[in-house]
Amino acid sequence: CANGINAKYVSKKISKTRWRPVSSSSLQQPDIFATGSWDNEDNSISIWSIGENGVSSMDDEFEGDPQLLCEYKHNGDVLDLQFLDQDRIVTASSTGAVTIFRHHHNSQTLSVSKLWERAHHYPCNNAPCTGVVCNSPEIVTVGEDGRIMLFRADQEGVLRTIEKADSSAIHAVTFLRTTEILTVNSIGQLKLWDFRQPGNEPSQILSLTGDRVPLHCVDRHPNQQHIVATGGQDGMLCIWDVRQGNMPISLMEAHTSEMWEVHFHPSNPGHLFSCSEDGSLLHWETSSNTDTPSFLQGGRNTSIISRSAIAPAGGNQSLINAWLTGDSSKGHLETTHMLPSQMLSVNSLDVLGQCLVCGTDGEAIYVNRHVPI
Amino acid sequence: MEEVDVEPTTTPIPGFDSNQKHLGFVWGPGDILVYETIYKASGGSAGGCPFVHEVRKDEDIYSPILRKLFNESHHIFVGLQRIREDLPSKNKKPQFVSISKNYRSVIRACMEELQQVAVSTQDAAMATQYGNQVSILLAVELIWNLCEVLFIDAAPAGSLVLHLLDWVRLHKADVDEKAREVLASESPAEHQAYWDVVISYVLQGRMDEARQVLVKQAALQPAARVMFKLLDNLLMKMPIFNPGETQTLTEFDVKWRHWREEVDHCLQDQSFASNRHLEDICKILVGDEDVLLEYKELLSTWYHFLVTRLLFSHPTVKPTELHYYAQSSMHMFLDTRSVPEPLDSILLAAFEFDIHQVIKDCSIALNNWWFVGHLTDLLDHCKLLQSHNLHFGSNLREFLLLEYASGLFTHHSLWQLAVDYFDHCPEFGRVYLELQIERVPLDTERKALKVIRICEQRQMTEQVRSICKIMAKKALRNNRLGSALSWSIRAKDAAFATLISERFLQDYCAKGTFSDLDLIDNLGPAMLLSDRLTFLGKYREFHRLYGEKRFSDAAKLLLSLMTAKIAPHSFWMTLLTDALPLLEQKEVIFSADQTHELMFCLEELTSGKSVPTPDKPMQVLATVHTALRASLARVKQLFTLH
């Protein structure tokens, strides 16, 4: 097992993995995560525990397998999964349904708390719901039907529908501010939506001037609300400044096929993680000082050459600059492969504190508790 | 055609009476569809079973625990294929042994999990099923381990017996359990299983452990101290071949014979006559077969008997001599009346170094190609299989892997693993993959993307096109024009892109406005995929320019659409009508040349080269004609003024 990562085989292809949030005040590392499966006759969502930290064992790296706490049948593939809060999980299904599950800690069981069955649909069929994002109690979902739906966890009906938001499939969504979201679609466009505006028009559309490559994932910088990262079919990582016109700030070759998820580290945004159909999970690290490169720690390394480097207007923090210039020749950007080679697609990853969890089409989950950040 | 060695199993089909009707069937990739025909058996009555039954041979791929076996071994398989060919075989042997051990540890992990579930489950039927699976895996691991020792590691004389000892010890773990129980008891030496433990240790060649346990007895019988010391000494001095040392096999042999003579002396001297157990141990040490057979229960299998026999009678046995001892051991150990089980024949074939027989027997005995496929592949990498071409062209390894992978492909989820197996079957793998991959059901865009990626990486352009077309058609049916276009771009399918553009243009003609502006406005280079698409993009651009009041740019664009033959003739009427407001502007937009060109286009339209569309009557044409003339006149006026 390379890099201190053990595989846990779970007999289902994993489409999504998410850490349960830990309260920001406590310095605890996360210990519970949820997974969703896909492409199985019976799909399910499952809750896992990686046990107490600080339990001593012979080898710090292999601190025991994740243990299954509970599982619940899920209709359709789990196309997205988010924790609404400590007890509730929202899932997006390939049947077009949006479900809220409740995790009962005492009995270690799951139950369905709310179900919007045809949240996404075509006139005659179901349409897969491809993305969900929460800002409790609000839930925003997007789907292949090109709709954006807004729900509230405590209300039965739909709060708002943006019909015909997109003529192609919307693949992912993220909050920019509490009232603004950003979606990415299969013709390579980023669209900003402001919920304060009525109507069905986006407030802004951004896309690459070159080939319109479908985009699959998007994540916002934790501290800078205008910086987002996207990844798509060609495996390139793009960093955008949404205030600034129509061009990404930097483009970096990352993977050799679809990038499925990209995440900024929530508390150390100088670190970014991406995973792909090509079976790799990359850890991107920016550092302002170049004298002690971290790549000597192990794992395989690839220096990534950026395709363009446009200095942003304003913003003088060196970390932000490093992302936006994406220039590895100045020693600002290092990438590390975090998984052994020859794997099937890594569909999902999540990182919190020092812990990283990811799931693959090889029906395995990988947990790393000592991510070097 | 060879004879079938075992009786085929019968599976009754529920609701079907074979006396009444004939059964019809058709083969599938991993199963059979069975139905009742209209053909009556003689004397049968009408009325029948309306169902079609699916009969599956391989239940294993649907077992959640066994699935882990398939996933993990896939990872090992892929790693094995990527070992470089150009390294000499000598350097690769440790790698192959290590890979073999990996496979075995995966089997063991699976077995342990199955065992746990078998014990904890409440359902009796499930417990039996799990129990069966555990026994099969036990047997599989036993066979694999032996193959590793004999074929892959290919231990020479001297080490061979030691490896075989390890093999036996690994599969007879209950000795340690018994020993723990005995030693934990109040008075170990008086425990009823005490001597069983000691003798089992000796039979397995574990002299140190045997001595440790014997000490307990010695403590109880101070009077017999000398006797115990003597035996202890003999056990301690037993020579064990050490392949690392500089000692040659011959030197070891001499030493061993010397020791054996010493033990024999003790027997002749009746040194252990007063204690039957100690005497038995001594007899075992000289390899007395009759005594060994007395402890059949402790040995429990003929191959344990074989290895013990070799340890104490022929520790320098050569691999080529093994089969003789194996056969005789089996005959001596087993009841002459009992029929040898499949496992016994397989092990015997292994001892005879008949790899093909091992593979053949395993293929028949097991209902899943997993074991033979992976083992044969590994042996093939070790260059141990003769290139034994089968009738239909591929070799044994490829045949087995194809069978295994085809079985995987029928699984709703494990099909992804099968792709890698097909990749490493050079003769037929690609063809199999091409045929199978198109049948994977595509419920979501994401799944389709993964399938397409697999096809693209293998340059299966036909399959890519057909999958993209299916998805594009689905999208079109649901009126998702943007998605449909996205799929056409992926497939580089100009024809479909044209179709989509036509839809857009039809929509425009019907409604007077464009739908899905977010798509058309942002086509980018995808516009160049098809002429019609380019036209659509440019036409929209024309509208935009007009909206922004950039009239001369709009005019230029409009003209180029017609003169550069980008616009379809059917649309020219619309374009000329669009030119009207430009012509009627106060300022002159079109230059003289441009106006002439427009007139030329109008003439082309009216001359019969293309028929004017029925909804645009001749009157409109006339209006355009007039407007063009007026514009021309104004231009001329401008020139004359200057």
Side-chain angles (χ1 to χ4, degrees):
Chain A
C1 315
N3 308 335
I5 274 196
N6 252 347
K8 167 90 178 161
Y9 285 89
V10 297
S11 306
K12 282 190 186 144
K13 295 205 278 217
I14 300 295
S15 54
K16 288 287 159 187
T17 57
R18 291 282 179 265
W19 288 113
R20 188 178 66 181
V22 292
S23 58
S24 46
S25 52
S26 84
L27 295 169
Q28 263 188 321
Q29 294 294 319
D31 60 340
I32 305 268
F33 64 91
T35 61
S37 75
W38 80 284
D39 209 21
N40 220 40
E41 272 177 352
D42 307 307
N43 287 304
S44 61
I45 74 159
S46 320
I47 312 273
W48 305 80
S49 160
I50 54 173
E52 307 278 289
N53 279 308
V55 173
S56 67
S57 56
M58 291 177 291
D59 197 333
D60 256 318
E61 306 278 0
F62 309 136
E63 268 160 312
D65 280 346
Q67 297 303 318
L68 179 65
L69 294 179
C70 50
E71 207 169 52
Y72 201 88
K73 183 159 151 42
H74 186 270
N75 269 336
D77 297 341
V78 178
L79 292 183
D80 203 357
L81 186 154
Q82 298 289 351
F83 273 90
L84 184 60
D85 52 32
Q86 283 283 311
D87 308 312
R88 288 178 296 176
I89 299 165
V90 192
T91 66
S93 168
S94 61
T95 61
V98 177
T99 321
I100 304 184
F101 290 89
R102 184 175 283 278
H103 178 210
H104 306 274
H105 299 283
N106 296 338
S107 55
Q108 282 306 345
T109 52
L110 282 164
S111 61
V112 176
S113 163
K114 213 176 219 82
L115 172 66
W116 290 282
E117 217 168 333
R118 265 173 66 89
H120 291 272
H121 55 273
Y122 298 125
C124 303
N125 303 331
N126 291 338
C129 174
T130 52
V132 68
V133 74
C134 322
N135 189 359
S136 189
E138 287 187 345
I139 300 170
V140 179
T141 69
V142 293
E144 280 182 21
D145 58 351
R147 266 191 199 88
I148 301 176
M149 309 288 287
L150 182 57
F151 300 96
R152 269 182 75 103
D154 45 9
Q155 283 179 11
E156 280 303 319
V158 180
L159 209 60
R160 179 163 169 190
T161 309
I162 301 182
E163 292 282 347
K164 294 196 202 293
D166 210 307
S167 64
S168 64
I170 308 178
H171 283 157
V173 61
T174 186
F175 271 104
L176 281 184
R177 291 166 216 280
T178 41
T179 53
E180 266 181 29
I181 57 168
L182 182 73
T183 61
V184 295
N185 65 14
S186 66
I187 46 175
Q189 297 170 322
L190 291 86
K191 295 186 183 176
L192 270 86
W193 306 85
D194 191 336
F195 284 128
R196 293 167 300 189
Q197 314 278 353
N200 293 340
E201 293 303 313
S203 47
Q204 204 183 341
I205 301 183
L206 303 104
S207 58
L208 285 172
T209 49
D211 280 327
R212 298 301 161 83
V213 170
L215 293 174
H216 291 296
C217 53
V218 63
D219 194 32
R220 196 204 75 191
H221 191 286
N223 306 331
Q224 305 285 322
Q225 289 173 329
H226 50 273
I227 307 284
V228 291
T230 63
Q233 187 177 294
D234 57 358
M236 298 255 284
L237 175 67
C238 294
I239 311 284
W240 305 75
D241 182 338
V242 299
R243 299 170 307 189
Q244 295 205 320
N246 213 13
M247 277 275 303
I249 301 302
S250 60
L251 281 166
M252 288 164 274
E253 279 175 12
H255 298 280
T256 54
S257 44
E258 283 87 352
M259 186 191 300
W260 294 121
E261 282 197 24
V262 65
H263 290 265
F264 282 99
H265 191 285
S267 44
N268 292 50
H271 297 258
L272 182 131
F273 299 82
S274 63
C275 65
S276 160
E277 177 73 22
D278 68 8
S280 63
L281 197 159
L282 290 176
H283 172 189
W284 305 71
E285 221 172 305
T286 64
S287 50
S288 45
N289 57 330
T290 58
D291 44 19
T292 47
S294 56
F295 59 81
L296 289 176
Q297 285 176 7
R300 291 178 291 136
N301 258 305
T302 326
S303 287
I304 307 296
I305 316 295
S306 71
R307 286 253 288 251
S308 77
I310 305 173
N316 53 9
Q317 291 147 296
S318 56
L319 288 180
I320 305 299
N321 276 351
W323 276 126
L324 299 181
T325 57
D327 188 352
S328 69
S329 61
K330 292 192 187 141
H332 276 162
L333 198 61
E334 289 294 336
T335 54
T336 322
H337 284 265
M338 294 200 71
L339 291 175
S341 55
Q342 294 147 26
M343 301 226 330
L344 289 180
S345 168
V346 184
N347 294 323
S348 174
L349 75 97
D350 196 18
V351 62
L352 190 59
Q354 278 200 307
C355 299
L356 179 134
V357 62
C358 64
T360 71
D361 273 347
E363 307 195 348
I365 298 174
Y366 294 80
V367 178
N368 186 332
R369 286 187 235 216
H370 303 278
V371 177
I373 39 168
Chain B
M1 181 66 180
E2 293 188 28
E3 286 198 13
V4 180
D5 303 293
V6 294
E7 273 300 307
T9 49
T10 14
T11 311
I13 311 286
F16 174 72
D17 185 1
S18 55
N19 296 326
Q20 304 272 355
K21 290 278 182 68
H22 290 297
L23 202 62
F25 71 95
V26 65
W27 284 108
D31 44 23
I32 312 177
L33 286 180
V34 168
Y35 55 93
E36 206 177 71
T37 63
I38 57 169
Y39 299 108
K40 298 201 269 276
S42 53
S45 60
C49 179
F51 299 119
V52 173
H53 297 272
E54 184 192 346
V55 182
R56 241 186 231 158
K57 189 172 94 135
D58 177 17
E59 283 282 293
D60 291 344
I61 49 176
Y62 295 93
S63 151
I65 298 176
L66 280 179
R67 242 166 106 157
K68 302 188 194 187
L69 186 69
F70 301 128
N71 278 296
E72 286 203 68
S73 58
H74 163 264
H75 193 83
I76 302 172
F77 174 86
V78 171
L80 170 59
Q81 307 310 308
R82 301 203 183 157
I83 291 179
R84 288 162 49 102
E85 271 301 314
D86 48 323
L87 286 176
S89 309
K90 220 191 291 186
N91 300 352
K92 289 197 261 186
K93 186 163 96 153
Q95 252 183 322
F96 291 141
V97 173
S98 152
I99 288 175
S100 177
K101 288 196 194 318
N102 273 347
Y103 273 124
R104 285 197 297 121
S105 74
V106 167
I107 299 173
R108 294 211 134 228
C110 206
M111 203 160 58
E112 275 166 26
E113 205 179 324
L114 274 173
Q115 182 72 350
Q116 274 175 8
V117 181
V119 162
S120 62
T121 184
Q122 309 279 6
D123 184 349
M126 287 306 286
T128 332
Q129 191 184 45
Y130 288 138
N132 286 342
Q133 284 171 344
V134 170
S135 342
I136 293 177
L137 284 181
L138 267 170
V140 158
E141 207 259 319
L142 180 74
I143 300 169
W144 192 306
N145 199 346
L146 184 60
C147 291
E148 183 187 305
V149 167
L150 295 177
F151 307 144
I152 302 174
D153 216 350
S159 318
L160 180 58
V161 165
L162 297 176
H163 287 220
L164 286 174
L165 262 181
D166 282 335
W167 173 65
V168 160
R169 285 173 193 169
L170 194 58
H171 293 94
K172 194 105 182 61
D174 59 350
V175 179
D176 289 300
E177 217 181 285
K178 240 193 272 182
R180 268 194 294 273
E181 200 187 301
V182 166
L183 291 174
S185 71
E186 272 187 35
S187 178
E190 286 165 347
H191 197 288
Q192 65 177 113
Y194 175 81
W195 284 111
D196 282 347
V197 169
V198 175
I199 305 241
S200 297
Y201 274 142
V202 172
L203 290 172
Q204 283 193 7
R206 292 159 77 172
M207 302 314 179
D208 288 336
E209 281 106 320
R211 289 169 57 214
Q212 275 172 19
V213 180
L214 265 179
V215 154
K216 308 275 179 203
Q217 187 68 236
L220 272 189
Q221 301 183 29
R225 188 189 314 206
V226 170
M227 196 168 57
F228 276 94
K229 198 77 178 65
L230 180 61
L231 185 60
D232 188 74
N233 205 3
L234 287 175
L235 289 172
M236 187 183 67
K237 284 200 302 192
M238 174 171 178
I240 301 287
F241 182 68
N242 188 338
E245 276 180 16
T246 49
Q247 172 194 64
T248 67
L249 198 60
T250 339
E251 285 169 10
F252 162 75
D253 197 36
V254 165
K255 241 179 118 182
W256 177 73
R257 283 183 197 285
H258 200 74
W259 169 83
R260 197 160 182 265
E261 267 172 37
E262 205 181 318
V263 180
D264 208 26
H265 255 303
C266 295
L267 268 180
Q268 306 299 336
D269 285 351
Q270 305 276 314
S271 314
F272 300 106
S274 55
N275 188 319
R276 186 186 66 95
H277 290 115
L278 296 184
E279 195 169 53
D280 275 349
I281 292 176
C282 201
K283 287 187 179 163
I284 289 172
L285 290 180
V286 294
D288 186 331
E289 282 161 10
D290 296 320
V291 174
L292 282 177
L293 285 170
E294 273 174 37
Y295 288 100
K296 247 195 199 180
E297 252 190 65
L298 292 181
L299 289 168
S300 77
T301 57
W302 64 269
Y303 40 91
H304 189 338
F305 173 59
L306 162 68
V307 175
T308 309
R309 233 180 114 201
L310 291 174
L311 175 66
F312 294 118
S313 309
H314 314 276
T316 56
V317 66
K318 295 204 269 285
T320 45
E321 295 167 344
L322 261 185
H323 69 100
Y324 166 70
Y325 294 112
Q327 268 172 344
S328 53
S329 302
M330 199 163 96
H331 284 297
M332 280 193 259
F333 192 91
L334 290 179
D335 237 326
T336 42
R337 285 160 293 161
S338 63
V339 179
E341 307 221 320
L343 178 62
D344 296 325
S345 332
I346 293 170
L347 292 174
L348 193 60
F351 285 120
E352 289 168 358
F353 284 81
D354 189 349
I355 298 183
H356 286 274
Q357 189 65 30
V358 172
I359 295 171
K360 175 176 168 240
D361 286 345
C362 289
S363 309
I364 296 174
L366 299 164
N367 68 346
N368 178 292
W369 298 102
W370 177 84
F371 171 54
V372 284
H374 287 87
L375 181 62
T376 310
D377 172 63
L378 182 56
L379 294 175
D380 188 67
H381 272 87
C382 301
K383 306 264 189 288
L384 290 169
L385 291 179
Q386 302 156 314
S387 65
H388 194 124
N389 275 334
L390 301 172
H391 299 302
F392 31 87
S394 70
N395 60 24
L396 182 63
R397 168 193 170 269
E398 182 159 323
F399 169 73
L400 293 172
L401 286 179
L402 287 172
E403 288 295 312
Y404 173 63
S406 304
L408 277 184
F409 229 102
T410 63
H411 191 271
H412 51 75
S413 189
L414 293 174
W415 60 271
Q416 254 182 300
L417 303 180
V419 174
D420 283 309
Y421 288 98
F422 284 137
D423 278 348
H424 293 105
C425 291
E427 287 269 345
F428 295 119
R430 194 190 162 87
V431 171
Y432 270 67
L433 183 59
E434 281 173 5
L435 289 173
Q436 305 257 26
I437 198 104
E438 279 188 315
R439 282 156 181 74
V440 175
L442 305 170
D443 312 313
T444 58
E445 280 205 358
R446 181 166 279 225
K447 184 151 178 196
L449 286 171
K450 286 180 184 263
V451 175
I452 290 173
R453 181 59 69 179
I454 290 171
C455 296
E456 272 179 359
Q457 283 169 343
R458 291 156 182 80
Q459 283 91 44
M460 295 185 183
T461 41
E462 269 312 303
Q463 281 71 21
V464 172
R465 284 194 134 213
S466 91
I467 293 170
C468 286
K469 193 157 255 161
I470 293 172
M471 297 306 291
K473 277 218 155 113
K474 247 196 226 176
L476 212 55
R477 228 183 307 134
N478 289 313
N479 214 30
R480 310 296 307 146
L481 294 175
S483 293
L485 185 63
S486 171
W487 289 109
S488 314
I489 294 172
R490 182 81 186 258
K492 304 201 202 349
D493 190 343
F496 214 86
T498 306
L499 198 77
I500 297 170
S501 321
E502 290 283 335
R503 269 284 275 269
F504 272 115
L505 292 169
Q506 278 167 20
D507 270 356
Y508 171 75
C509 288
K511 296 184 204 151
T513 53
F514 285 106
S515 59
D516 302 314
L517 279 177
D518 63 328
L519 172 65
I520 311 176
D521 277 345
N522 293 290
L523 282 173
M527 239 196 315
L528 301 173
L529 183 60
S530 105
D531 281 347
R532 198 55 47 85
L533 197 57
T534 316
F535 168 65
L536 180 64
K538 294 285 178 196
Y539 186 53
R540 167 65 196 151
E541 202 181 316
F542 161 72
H543 278 271
R544 262 216 325 271
L545 288 171
Y546 186 89
E548 290 168 14
K549 300 206 193 300
R550 291 162 57 185
F551 295 129
S552 54
D553 289 330
K556 230 186 293 190
L557 182 56
L558 186 65
L559 195 56
S560 69
L561 285 178
M562 283 191 281
T563 54
K565 310 279 187 227
I566 300 177
H569 268 210
S570 53
F571 222 77
W572 277 20
M573 201 56 249
T574 318
L575 290 176
L576 286 169
T577 319
D578 286 332
L580 272 175
L582 288 173
L583 291 166
E584 286 159 4
Q585 290 287 331
K586 271 214 218 92
E587 46 173 313
V588 174
I589 312 290
F590 289 99
S591 71
D593 284 335
Q594 285 176 329
T595 317
H596 276 296
E597 286 191 50
L598 275 175
M599 288 184 119
F600 188 70
C601 290
L602 182 62
E603 276 172 38
E604 210 182 303
L605 198 57
T606 52
S607 73
K609 270 196 183 155
S610 50
V611 182
T613 50
D615 48 329
K616 302 273 188 207
M618 297 298 290
Q619 191 198 8
V620 182
L621 283 171
T623 320
V624 174
H625 195 84
T626 320
L628 281 173
R629 294 249 295 272
S631 169
L632 198 56
R634 285 193 358 241
V635 168
K636 284 191 173 147
Q637 224 180 16
L638 267 177
F639 270 119
T640 52
L641 277 176
H642 289 97

